[in-house]
Amino acid sequence: MTFRTRLLIIFLLAVLVPMIVLALFIRDEMTERLAAQYERRVESLVAVIEEDLAQEGDAIATALGVLRKAVVNDNRFRRAAVDRVLEERRYLLDYAGNAMQLTGLSMLQIQDEAGRIISSGHFRNEYDRLEPELPKLLSSTPEGIAIVQARAPDAPFLALARADSFQMGNRTFTIVAGVKVERRFLTRLAREAELQVALIYPGGMLAPGTDRSKSGVDGTRSGIVESRDRDTVRAVDVPPSGTDVTHKTVPTHDIDVPQSETEVQRDRAPARAIVRELRVPFIDSERGELAYAKFRVTHQLTELQSLRSSIDRWFLVAVAAAGILAVMLVGWLASRISRPLETGRRDEIGALSRLLGAMTERLRASAVRIKDAERRATIGELARQVNHDIKNGLTPIRNVFRHLVQLAQNNPNQLPDVFQEREGTLDSSISYLEDLASNYARLYPRTERRPIDVNEIARQLVMDLQGSGHVDLRMNLGDGIVVLGDPVALRRILENLVSNAIDSLGSRPGRVTISTALVSGEGDRSRVRITVSDTGIGMSEEQRAKVFDDFYTTKDGGTGLGLSIVRRLVMDLDGSINVESVEGKGSRFIIDLPGSGAARPDSGG
Amino acid sequence: MIGRMVAIMRVSVLLHIIGAVALVALAGCGKRPVIQPEVMLAPECEILSGPAKFADSVRVALLDKVRPEHAPWARSASEQLLFRHLYETLITIDCLGEVQTGLAGSWNSGEGGRRWTFELREGAEFWDGTPVTARDVARSWQHTVSEPMTQGAGIDSVTVVGDRILHVYLTRPHRRIPRALSAPAFAVAKSSEHSHWPLGTGPYRVVPWGRWSVGMSRRTITAHPAFGMDGPVIKFVEATTYDERDLLEGVIDVMVTADPAVIEYAASRPQLSTIALPWDRTYVLLSISRIEKLRWGSTLGTFSSDLSDRLARDAVRGAARGYRPPSWWDDLSRCGDLFAAVPLFPPIPRYVYSSSGLHRILYDVNDPIARDLAERIVALAATDPFVSPEAAAIASAVPGLISDTAGIAAEGVTRSERDLSLRHGDDFAYVIPIPRRPPDPCHEAHKLVIRAQWLSTFKVDLSKALIPLVDTRLHVIVNRSKVGLIVDWYGNILIANEMLLGR
């Protein structure tokens, strides 16, 4: 892993992790607090609704009080209702309608003691209809107020109603009065756009934006889009004794919610609304019994959802931006660290950097020149020597041929005799050249062969090279590894190979292993196998093919003669050398030498 | 002395003669030489004698909008009031039911009563002075005669035989003159390119032609007595947005209303007189379920007169009384096959096969009496029939009214919506007014069958099909110091002028 990569990872971790943690924390905290705030709002609205209902009830009670007083003092009403004067009957029938309009009520009916409607404001022509249970049920409710279903010519409607009574003559009459509960009423209760108030009653539901069902016939359409849990709805129960608010969880199938709506709700998570309910008495006029309806207060969480989505979105943008910035910063920083010293500075550092740079350049150039000169010098000297020796051998041969040519031109009859005389000169010159060639084939003079302890040479070599820093030098030595040859030559072979192996590692840590082993050879004689392997950069196919060529090198400033010398030395020892290499993985030089089978081999001192 | 006296007497007589001649000459100037129709006004029909001298102008309230393009066929009570003054029919029927001349001066029958020949009165002319011809009459009736609704009048065709003579051929013989020709549908008018108003021949004419004058935020149509007759100028004031009681505060002189509150208020104004017009309408309940049952021979009840009176007294907030038999639909045997004019395969009322859970009783939303009756029926449907005779009667008369499964509601709709529903039989029942005294009962019955064609499906006698509820009438409130009023058979009032009074 490069320095830049490490730097990048550290930077990202150092910046992003805290950022992510902070964002998640903020998100959750915000959600929790907002939800808690909404819950408090809903709770307070429920309390407000209770108060509103109570106020409405009080207003109706006030209107009833006024009506009662007015009707008691109305002589025409008395004549019609008590004295049953026919001429005043129409006045009686119209009375409730006029009174209802004057008092701003939506429902008003006056009944006699038998429960017969004698005047109706909301349904003028329903006189003589019996509805005795209505005032009785109204009186039985805790606050004397309830939601009733009032009949009308076109369709029934819901009204928040209460009852009162008055005496006239020896008769008792009841007044039932109320205000219409419709969508506007619910909207007024809600007060805010995010809050929704719906009324759920036996056989129907009334909510802003939904159609009121016909009671018991068409079912309901839910205006609800909640719940906190997927399958339950928080409901609020009102104990019969009062209007204390408690929580109660009921399954959604207890509430009239169409299946499709419930399924949609279940598929959505998290919760989309907060719900509370307030129970109020409801008079089911169809059955003539007291039931309960619920004001359901719902607070949509759409604002919270959108806020959360917005935070998520911006968080992702921030993370992406931080990541990109980190990459750019790290790249710039890393490149800045490995950049050469600035030479443009005018201070001491600039002067020093310039001086160092110049010195480095000169040294580099000098080394190149020296290596080049050495190469040329070596090659030149050798060439001069070869040139000289060859000329020495060729000159007598040239002289003899000139003499023979001259005789052929001038005295061709003397040619055979002169050729016979000069034949010896030609033979000696040719022999001289053959010897010369043989000598140049071996760059070293022949030495004597004696038994060499290969392992000992390897150990000494390794001992000499210990402390090479990043190089792990190992040995894997077999037993009885003895060859016949020149210990100096063998040491030179191993030195060259190990040196090359170490060079191939470069500055990276690696391993160089020297192995010796006896392997089977031709006939009875065993062979000694010496292997020098490394974990260096390896060689390509092309490089491997030329590696033993003279003057072939891959190193800057190299002579290119090391491995060619190694090969000659190996051949001088009657051995063979091969190389195996995988580019990027390492190389292995394998030397096979004849085994000696001799006693006490030489360690090469 | 005697000689002087004789001389003075001679001079006096001569002066009187000269004066009389001068008066005659002066009286002849400025008047058109028009032959007045012979009007024999029964005294009973002059419901209010006006002042000795006609007022200069009389203001008549129009409580509905009027549209010239509807003329001469009225679509509202106000149009009826106005058009009656402007357009004439060949014959008229006075309040006693006697046929009087109108545009036609004389008539006779032929071909056993299948053909009636009318001669237009001499000198009859339109407002622009052009004479009325038989061709004008035929053209004017062209639309009317082709209408299915008027085919019950029995008119087969009209033939012009002269400038002022036309033959009217009937589908069946009439021993007496077909009274249906007095109906407003047979009013004669001629369109004019110079006026929005078709030209008429009535006792009044619109001047200036085609223009509304707008003053004091009220539109006014001014009608002058026609043919130079003496009479008040009538200003018909369109007062649709005003409280009628405010109009009675000297704004108008004549108002026709059914509002009991207005009638009651007018009674308190000393200068106003309130006159009840004839009972001209009966409200009936037309129930598909009833007719269906009757078709299969069921015996169903109806409202007794006592219950009907209670209905009129308590339910209706207007001038109403319990229904009084007999009525013209009790015996229609002489009308032939009333259902013959209906298409070969009369429709089955859609209500019969609709699956709606709600029973609707439809009424005209602009008809408060129909609304009151419909609402009362809905209320009775929810009333225990064991404790209410009314509820018991209506339950007996209308099968299916009290249902455990279906609700019932009264719904006010526009007249056209109601008529469309009535035509197809879309709803449970209908509360509709029908004329109490049509000039031709057969024609009226025919019209009803056309309106509700599914009646032909069941072919139930109308006397059983209809449930009569209440009779109603209008009242006219009038400033008696200014106006004389005449009423006709249809209950239309006319502002008296010289022509109408036959002076």
Side-chain angles (χ1 to χ4, degrees):
Chain A
M1 187 183 293
T2 65
F3 175 70
R4 290 185 189 185
T5 307
R6 284 199 292 271
L7 199 60
L8 177 65
I9 291 170
I10 290 166
F11 189 85
L12 285 175
L13 288 174
V15 170
L16 289 182
V17 166
M19 187 187 292
I20 291 169
V21 168
L22 184 66
L24 287 174
F25 172 73
I26 289 172
R27 192 170 170 274
D28 289 344
E29 185 71 13
M30 180 206 71
T31 302
E32 210 170 300
R33 288 193 180 208
L34 272 178
Q37 184 183 348
Y38 291 160
E39 281 195 31
R40 283 195 295 275
R41 283 170 84 182
V42 170
E43 297 280 3
S44 64
L45 182 64
V46 168
V48 166
I49 288 174
E50 278 184 276
E51 203 178 307
D52 278 351
L53 291 176
Q55 282 181 359
E56 289 280 357
D58 291 342
I60 297 168
T62 304
L64 276 173
V66 167
L67 272 173
R68 194 181 60 219
K69 201 177 281 186
V71 76
V72 162
N73 292 322
D74 192 318
N75 292 334
R76 291 185 72 179
F77 187 95
R78 183 179 291 268
R79 278 160 51 83
V82 179
D83 304 332
R84 301 181 201 260
V85 172
L86 217 54
E87 287 76 17
E88 300 291 4
R89 180 155 171 81
R90 187 166 285 188
Y91 178 82
L92 175 66
L93 292 174
D94 292 335
Y95 185 87
N98 296 330
M100 189 180 80
Q101 286 182 9
L102 286 171
T103 52
L105 294 166
S106 315
M107 175 199 176
L108 181 66
Q109 65 189 39
I110 303 175
Q111 295 170 255
D112 63 13
E113 53 274 282
R116 185 186 306 273
I117 297 171
I118 62 173
S119 186
S120 174
H122 55 279
F123 192 174
R124 193 259 186 200
N125 278 348
E126 70 164 349
Y127 54 87
D128 290 344
R129 189 171 67 82
L130 286 168
E131 199 171 23
E133 64 281 346
L134 178 60
K136 284 181 194 161
L137 289 171
L138 274 170
S139 305
S140 69
T141 58
E143 304 287 328
I145 196 165
I147 293 177
V148 303
Q149 237 174 356
R151 289 178 188 276
D154 49 357
F157 63 92
L158 298 175
L160 187 69
R162 58 188 316 148
D164 202 348
S165 62
F166 61 93
Q167 292 282 335
M168 188 176 271
N170 58 348
R171 300 188 67 185
T172 304
F173 297 93
T174 309
I175 312 176
V176 176
V179 291
K180 200 180 256 192
V181 176
E182 51 184 353
R183 285 182 219 155
R184 276 184 297 174
F185 182 87
L186 297 178
T187 306
R188 204 171 62 239
L189 286 180
R191 288 176 165 75
E192 296 175 24
E194 294 107 8
L195 295 165
Q196 189 188 56
V197 179
L199 176 66
I200 303 169
Y201 57 93
M205 189 182 107
L206 184 67
T210 64
D211 292 331
R212 194 181 72 216
S213 72
K214 304 298 183 288
S215 64
V217 176
D218 295 332
T220 61
R221 277 173 54 201
S222 170
I224 319 165
V225 285
E226 39 93 3
S227 60
R228 181 162 278 271
D229 300 320
R230 285 188 179 185
D231 295 326
T232 60
V233 171
R234 271 202 208 164
V236 174
D237 263 351
V238 178
S241 59
T243 56
D244 294 326
V245 171
T246 60
H247 294 277
K248 175 187 165 188
T249 303
V250 296
T252 49
H253 60 76
D254 283 346
I255 310 292
D256 287 334
V257 174
Q259 188 60 32
S260 61
E261 191 80 33
T262 308
E263 284 172 354
V264 169
Q265 293 168 21
R266 287 199 182 117
D267 288 340
R268 294 183 185 176
R272 291 171 52 206
I274 294 169
V275 176
R276 294 290 181 273
E277 292 182 345
L278 174 64
R279 206 165 72 158
V280 291
F282 177 84
I283 292 175
D284 189 340
S285 51
E286 292 286 335
R287 298 192 180 121
E289 58 188 29
L290 184 65
Y292 283 92
K294 288 180 266 201
F295 281 103
R296 175 172 287 175
V297 182
T298 307
H299 192 310
Q300 300 294 337
L301 294 180
T302 47
E303 191 184 329
L304 176 61
Q305 298 286 343
S306 70
L307 192 59
R308 214 150 59 174
S309 299
S310 181
I311 286 181
D312 289 345
R313 203 164 43 242
W314 283 110
F315 168 66
L316 287 173
V317 167
V319 165
I324 293 168
L325 197 63
V327 167
M328 288 168 60
L329 189 64
V330 162
W332 174 80
L333 198 63
S335 66
R336 193 170 170 78
I337 289 173
S338 61
R339 196 181 60 182
L341 286 174
E342 289 175 13
T343 57
R345 296 173 65 157
R346 291 182 179 278
D347 54 7
E348 295 83 354
I349 294 175
L352 182 62
S353 70
R354 283 192 293 277
L355 180 64
L356 286 173
M359 285 177 64
T360 305
E361 273 306 307
R362 282 202 298 275
L363 281 171
R364 194 176 289 131
S366 299
V368 168
R369 281 197 301 274
I370 290 171
K371 281 184 183 168
D372 193 47
E374 282 181 352
R375 282 183 63 189
R376 280 200 303 273
T378 305
I379 292 170
E381 186 60 34
L382 189 63
R384 274 196 302 274
Q385 187 65 37
V386 169
N387 181 44
H388 175 75
D389 288 343
I390 289 173
K391 275 184 179 174
N392 285 345
L394 289 176
T395 299
I397 296 173
R398 189 184 306 114
N399 290 339
V400 169
F401 271 110
R402 279 184 187 162
H403 189 199
L404 291 176
V405 166
Q406 190 177 15
L407 275 179
Q409 287 174 355
N410 297 331
N411 294 315
N413 53 348
Q414 290 181 1
L415 193 62
D417 293 330
V418 174
F419 181 78
Q420 203 167 4
E421 287 176 13
R422 302 301 300 271
E423 184 184 359
T425 305
L426 291 175
D427 280 337
S428 63
S429 292
I430 292 170
S431 295
Y432 172 75
L433 288 172
E434 283 179 349
D435 288 338
L436 187 68
S438 296
N439 285 335
Y440 276 118
R442 311 180 215 101
L443 293 172
Y444 298 96
R446 277 184 175 272
T447 57
E448 278 189 43
R449 293 189 176 195
R450 51 181 189 274
I452 308 168
D453 185 355
V454 180
N455 287 345
E456 188 58 32
I457 291 175
R459 287 192 201 96
Q460 284 179 3
L461 178 61
V462 168
M463 200 181 306
D464 291 340
L465 293 176
Q466 282 297 337
S468 297
H470 58 285
V471 180
D472 180 16
L473 277 173
R474 295 191 182 181
M475 291 182 293
N476 185 11
L477 305 178
D479 293 331
I481 309 299
V482 177
V483 296
L484 287 175
D486 183 4
V488 174
L490 187 61
R491 186 174 168 98
R492 290 188 69 183
I493 290 169
L494 289 180
E495 278 179 354
N496 262 293
L497 291 178
V498 172
S499 170
N500 280 348
I502 290 172
D503 287 343
S504 74
L505 293 176
S507 59
R508 296 180 296 121
R511 184 165 65 243
V512 176
T513 307
I514 304 172
S515 307
T516 60
L518 282 176
V519 297
S520 58
E522 289 183 9
D524 298 346
R525 291 193 77 170
S526 59
R527 296 182 71 79
V528 167
R529 181 163 284 178
I530 305 170
T531 308
V532 176
S533 60
D534 65 71
T535 59
I537 59 174
M539 287 180 281
S540 67
E541 186 76 26
E542 186 187 4
Q543 290 169 337
R544 211 165 57 241
K546 295 180 184 176
V547 72
F548 296 115
D549 290 349
D550 290 337
F551 308 113
Y552 179 78
T553 179
T554 59
K555 291 188 277 192
D556 290 338
T559 61
L561 293 175
L563 285 177
S564 66
I565 294 173
V566 165
R567 188 176 71 164
R568 285 197 189 91
L569 290 174
V570 167
M571 289 173 69
D572 283 348
L573 295 175
D574 296 327
S576 64
I577 183 167
N578 288 303
V579 61
E580 294 172 2
S581 182
V582 177
E583 199 170 10
K585 292 270 177 74
S587 304
R588 191 160 74 140
F589 286 90
I590 305 165
I591 300 168
D592 281 348
L593 298 173
S596 69
R600 204 171 187 280
D602 188 354
S603 64
Chain B
M1 180 85 143
I2 292 173
R4 182 177 287 181
M5 285 174 67
V6 166
I8 290 170
M9 283 175 64
R10 284 182 184 159
V11 169
S12 173
V13 168
L14 185 62
L15 285 174
H16 274 95
I17 292 170
I18 292 171
V21 168
L23 277 173
V24 167
L26 280 172
C29 289
K31 281 204 174 172
R32 300 174 67 90
V34 173
I35 298 174
Q36 302 176 30
E38 292 178 19
V39 175
M40 291 162 40
L41 181 65
E44 297 87 342
C45 297
E46 189 178 2
I47 58 174
L48 182 67
S49 299
K53 188 174 177 308
F54 293 116
D56 292 334
S57 68
V58 170
R59 286 159 300 182
V60 177
L62 297 176
L63 302 179
D64 313 301
K65 283 191 182 298
V66 296
R67 296 175 65 171
E69 54 268 28
H70 291 168
W73 307 296
R75 297 188 195 182
S76 67
S78 293
E79 284 184 349
Q80 180 65 22
L81 174 62
L82 171 62
F83 296 169
R84 184 66 184 86
H85 287 80
L86 305 179
Y87 304 102
E88 269 186 304
T89 47
L90 287 183
I91 58 170
T92 61
I93 300 177
D94 68 10
C95 66
L96 300 177
E98 296 296 324
V99 177
Q100 302 284 343
T101 60
L103 195 54
S106 63
W107 49 83
N108 57 66
S109 68
E111 297 181 26
R114 290 187 74 90
R115 186 199 75 222
W116 284 82
T117 303
F118 294 88
E119 185 175 0
L120 304 180
R121 71 167 183 263
E122 199 173 332
E125 58 185 32
F126 290 105
W127 300 334
D128 62 351
T130 56
V132 182
T133 66
R135 197 177 300 279
D136 291 327
V137 175
R139 273 205 209 105
S140 192
W141 287 3
Q142 208 166 19
H143 165 78
T144 303
V145 170
S146 62
E147 275 288 306
M149 290 283 250
T150 50
Q151 284 171 3
I155 297 178
D156 187 51
S157 61
V158 175
T159 305
V160 173
V161 294
D163 276 349
R164 291 168 40 237
I165 298 174
L166 67 159
H167 292 324
V168 177
Y169 291 90
L170 307 175
T171 54
R172 52 185 173 84
H174 276 62
R175 285 187 295 112
R176 293 187 291 177
I177 185 166
R179 295 156 67 91
L181 294 178
S182 68
F186 292 95
V188 175
K190 184 171 81 170
S191 61
S192 167
E193 60 186 18
H194 303 294
S195 170
H196 296 303
W197 296 97
L199 301 176
T201 63
Y204 289 89
R205 61 189 174 91
V206 176
V207 176
W209 297 339
R211 290 191 211 150
W212 291 87
S213 64
V214 180
M216 299 177 68
S217 303
R218 292 186 292 269
R219 297 204 301 178
T220 305
I221 306 167
T222 303
H224 287 241
F227 316 117
M229 295 288 163
D230 194 12
V233 172
I234 307 177
K235 297 189 182 207
F236 291 92
V237 181
E238 194 178 271
T240 56
T241 58
Y242 292 86
D243 189 303
E244 292 166 32
R245 281 163 287 202
D246 291 338
L247 297 173
L248 296 177
E249 298 296 338
V251 177
I252 56 93
D253 301 308
V254 179
M255 179 194 293
V256 178
T257 182
D259 190 336
V262 175
I263 295 168
E264 190 182 270
Y265 178 74
S268 68
R269 317 307 293 165
Q271 75 278 15
L272 300 175
S273 293
T274 303
I275 302 166
L277 296 174
W279 297 98
D280 61 337
R281 281 182 171 192
T282 299
Y283 280 81
V284 300
L285 179 67
L286 196 56
S287 158
I288 294 176
S289 62
R290 173 183 174 87
I291 295 169
E292 209 182 356
K293 288 285 185 193
L294 287 171
R295 179 200 180 187
W296 298 112
S298 299
T299 304
L300 300 174
T302 185
F303 264 40
S304 65
S305 56
D306 179 48
L307 292 178
S308 184
D309 284 341
R310 284 170 68 172
L311 210 60
R313 183 192 69 200
D314 297 338
V316 175
R317 285 168 285 184
R321 69 175 184 190
Y323 163 68
R324 294 283 185 271
S327 56
W328 54 266
W329 57 82
D330 289 340
D331 182 13
L332 296 169
S333 56
R334 62 185 177 85
C335 300
D337 186 3
L338 282 172
F339 307 113
V342 175
L344 192 58
F345 299 104
I348 296 173
R350 289 179 191 167
Y351 168 75
V352 171
Y353 51 83
S354 71
S355 59
S356 167
L358 185 67
H359 290 165
R360 294 200 310 174
I361 300 179
L362 288 193
Y363 60 90
D364 182 355
V365 69
N366 293 316
D367 188 343
I369 293 175
R371 181 197 65 216
D372 289 340
L373 291 168
E375 289 184 359
R376 182 59 185 157
I377 293 168
V378 168
L380 288 173
T383 303
D384 188 351
F386 292 105
V387 300
S388 166
E390 273 182 276
I394 198 69
S396 161
V398 183
L401 184 69
I402 300 174
S403 167
D404 289 334
T405 56
I408 186 157
E411 187 160 339
V413 296
T414 61
R415 187 181 294 187
S416 54
E417 285 173 359
R418 182 206 63 190
D419 289 344
L420 192 63
S421 174
L422 182 63
R423 183 185 177 89
H424 297 300
D426 289 340
D427 286 285
F428 179 73
Y430 305 86
V431 174
I432 55 173
I434 55 178
R436 180 164 171 78
R437 307 191 305 173
D440 187 340
C442 295
H443 180 203
E444 201 60 44
H446 175 84
K447 280 185 354 186
L448 187 59
V449 170
I450 294 295
R451 284 173 75 185
Q453 293 190 2
W454 43 270
L455 286 171
S456 305
T457 306
F458 301 109
K459 290 184 168 47
V460 171
D461 197 328
L462 283 184
S463 62
K464 294 178 184 163
L466 303 177
I467 304 173
L469 301 173
V470 298
D471 295 334
T472 63
R473 61 181 175 184
L474 297 170
H475 285 72
V476 58
I477 301 169
V478 60
N479 185 340
R480 56 173 168 267
S481 66
K482 292 183 74 175
V483 177
L485 291 178
I486 297 165
V487 69
D488 67 7
W489 175 256
Y490 300 99
N492 296 314
I493 59 150
L494 289 152
I495 308 296
N497 67 7
E498 183 183 349
M499 174 178 164
L500 289 168
L501 292 174
R503 292 177 187 167

